[in-house]
Amino acid sequence: MKTIVSGIQPTGSINVGTYLGSIRNFVALQDAMPEHHFYIFIADMHAITVQRDRLELRKTIKELAAIYLACGLNPERVSLFIQSEVIAHAQMAHLLECHAYIGELERMTQFKEKARAQESGVSVGLFTYPVLMAGDILLYDAEYVPVGDDQKQHLELTRDIAIRMNNRYGECLRVPKPLFPKIGARIMSLTEPTKKMSKSDTNVKSKIHLLDDDAIIRKRIMSAVTDSEGVVRFDKDNKPGISNLMAIYGAVTNLEYEAIENAFKDADYQTFKKAVADALVGEIAPIKARYKAIVESGQVDEILDEGAEQARRLAQKKIAKLYHKVGLGRKRK
Ligand code: AQP
């Protein structure tokens, strides 16, 4: 069976950026690609590459699991699991670290940005983060990896490592392809629209969480930074704020930018922002209702146990095969 793999770090409440850039896409693909099985995980091992409060991390892991389900992931189609509960991820990371080069990791822009944001104590884990990620993907022979476009460089590295190992040991890894959403691949901060909307941004006004109240959602959209031109027109370089609101609106309504420009050609920004807020509130309301029901049902642990079991079965086989190829351990009859 062909596979699709992706994950999200439990590094804070899920915001509209992560939702539109990844989860919404997972849900659409699970329905559109019935011949693929999905391995979707909570990337808690990635989360500790930056220091975190342990109790907060635990809470966020469970919250993210319930969010995935509330957004519509179907446990019949998706093995949903916590990364650290499948030991093969750690084994694979070491194996791939021995086939990745320091120079190529030094070029990773996410590492450079995150390292710069810390005053001191940048961990080795943060440096090798992209290799852990390559392992997450290659472990399951993923054909496709649905991600936001900030992950483009990491995907390229994953492909390079896979090709390198295939050349060295013979075909042993599938070279994956990224799948970016058509609209919403990079949702920007509402206060600084040239910066990605990020879970770790300390400015609460920069983002909208899926579990925010309707009033907060409306307030954040209505106060989002725009420009003084007063025309609803997509121009990422000169009108990043309005272009970002168009991306949010387009992702939610499935309308292309041109159709949005036509629909709002005589509208002022207040009117457009109100339409964006209405669309977003309408999209998020059922997710919030399902989230509450899922948490109350107590079914999350069972789904995570089952998902981890399914993931382990495939991942352990892959590790055994790769260890053999590389020459680790003893040859078994
Ligand atoms: N703003 C965004 N727009 C579109 N896609 C996004 N993604 C994240 N933010 C946006 C996509 O969501 C998936 C999961 O991302 P992640 O949590 O594993 O890591 P990240 O990209 O580092 O996200 P954050 O919010 O910026 O986390 P922190 O602040 O903890 O570093 C990925 O597919 C990503 O592309």
Side-chain angles (χ1 to χ4, degrees):
M1 152 117 15
K2 293 184 190 164
T3 58
I4 291 187
V5 175
S6 200
I8 297 176
Q9 298 184 78
T11 46
S13 269
I14 295 303
N15 61 51
V16 163
T18 313
Y19 170 66
L20 296 178
S22 66
I23 307 182
R24 196 173 192 270
N25 207 16
F26 302 164
V27 175
L29 294 170
Q30 103 189 330
D31 301 329
M33 301 176 84
E35 72 285 7
H36 286 75
H37 186 74
F38 289 67
Y39 291 86
I40 303 287
F41 61 94
I42 295 158
D44 57 344
M45 291 167 70
H46 285 272
I48 62 162
T49 55
V50 172
Q51 247 184 34
R52 312 223 162 255
D53 177 86
R54 59 185 274 275
L55 296 179
E56 191 57 34
L57 178 58
R58 285 257 157 80
K59 190 176 133 252
T60 315
I61 290 171
K62 283 298 278 285
E63 182 184 304
L64 177 52
I67 286 274
Y68 270 136
L69 295 166
C71 289
L73 284 192
N74 172 4
E76 307 256 310
R77 297 275 299 111
V78 177
S79 299
L80 179 63
F81 65 97
I82 301 172
Q83 183 187 26
S84 64
E85 294 184 358
V86 179
I87 194 75
H89 286 260
Q91 295 172 299
M92 187 71 165
H94 177 71
L95 202 56
L96 299 191
E97 275 168 24
C98 297
H99 295 83
Y101 302 137
I102 288 178
E104 56 193 358
L105 292 189
E106 280 172 341
R107 285 197 291 277
M108 296 293 118
T109 52
Q110 185 175 293
F111 169 71
K112 288 193 265 190
E113 279 167 16
K114 289 199 170 176
R116 218 178 293 131
Q118 288 179 44
E119 273 162 25
S120 61
V122 175
S123 73
V124 175
L126 188 65
F127 184 63
T128 56
Y129 178 116
V131 185
L132 178 63
M133 177 171 159
D136 301 334
I137 297 165
L138 299 177
L139 207 42
Y140 300 96
D141 279 326
E143 181 176 19
Y144 294 112
V145 185
V147 278
D149 78 359
D150 58 326
Q151 298 300 327
K152 215 178 238 174
Q153 199 183 26
H154 290 167
L155 246 296
E156 272 309 310
L157 177 76
T158 303
R159 291 170 55 87
D160 289 346
I161 296 175
I163 293 167
R164 187 174 304 148
M165 289 186 71
N166 284 343
N167 288 339
R168 200 169 294 177
Y169 303 107
E171 282 304 301
C172 55
L173 295 168
R174 182 192 278 269
V175 182
K177 293 185 271 288
L179 269 186
F180 304 113
K182 221 168 134 205
I183 295 188
R186 190 177 294 228
I187 299 297
M188 312 307 270
S189 153
L190 298 173
T191 48
E192 289 174 78
T194 49
K195 219 172 90 179
K196 191 185 83 154
M197 185 183 285
S198 239
K199 291 191 235 75
S200 56
D201 195 328
T202 49
N203 181 359
V204 289
K205 293 183 179 158
S206 69
K207 53 196 166 179
I208 291 168
H209 293 138
L210 288 190
L211 300 178
D212 277 342
D213 289 342
D214 293 358
I216 298 272
I217 300 175
R218 290 185 188 283
K219 199 167 148 197
R220 298 264 189 275
I221 294 290
M222 296 312 287
S223 57
V225 166
T226 52
D227 55 71
S228 55
E229 193 195 27
V231 179
V232 178
R233 179 169 62 81
F234 190 83
D235 179 347
K236 230 160 79 178
D237 297 330
N238 299 307
K239 294 165 69 69
I242 277 295
S243 302
N244 190 37
L245 292 178
M246 288 178 73
I248 294 173
Y249 189 69
V252 171
T253 58
N254 295 321
L255 286 174
E256 308 264 348
Y257 294 134
E258 210 185 318
I260 300 172
E261 286 172 354
N262 285 336
F264 292 94
K265 68 176 185 310
D266 300 320
D268 57 19
Y269 284 170
Q270 285 292 98
T271 310
F272 176 55
K273 280 178 164 180
K274 195 174 168 308
V276 178
D278 286 345
L280 209 48
V281 165
E283 171 86 8
I284 292 176
I287 296 176
K288 279 193 290 198
R290 281 197 299 268
Y291 177 84
K292 195 163 171 286
I294 285 161
V295 170
E296 281 165 7
S297 76
Q299 57 176 312
V300 176
D301 279 315
E302 215 176 291
I303 293 171
L304 289 173
D305 285 344
E306 179 63 27
E309 193 48 48
Q310 291 164 358
R312 273 185 219 115
R313 274 202 291 273
L314 192 61
Q316 235 18 85
K317 261 196 221 154
K318 189 77 191 175
I319 285 291
K321 191 171 164 194
L322 290 171
Y323 273 21
H324 177 74
K325 283 264 184 199
V326 173
L328 292 178
R330 283 172 288 163
K331 188 167 166 61
R332 306 262 175 199
K333 295 226 165 80

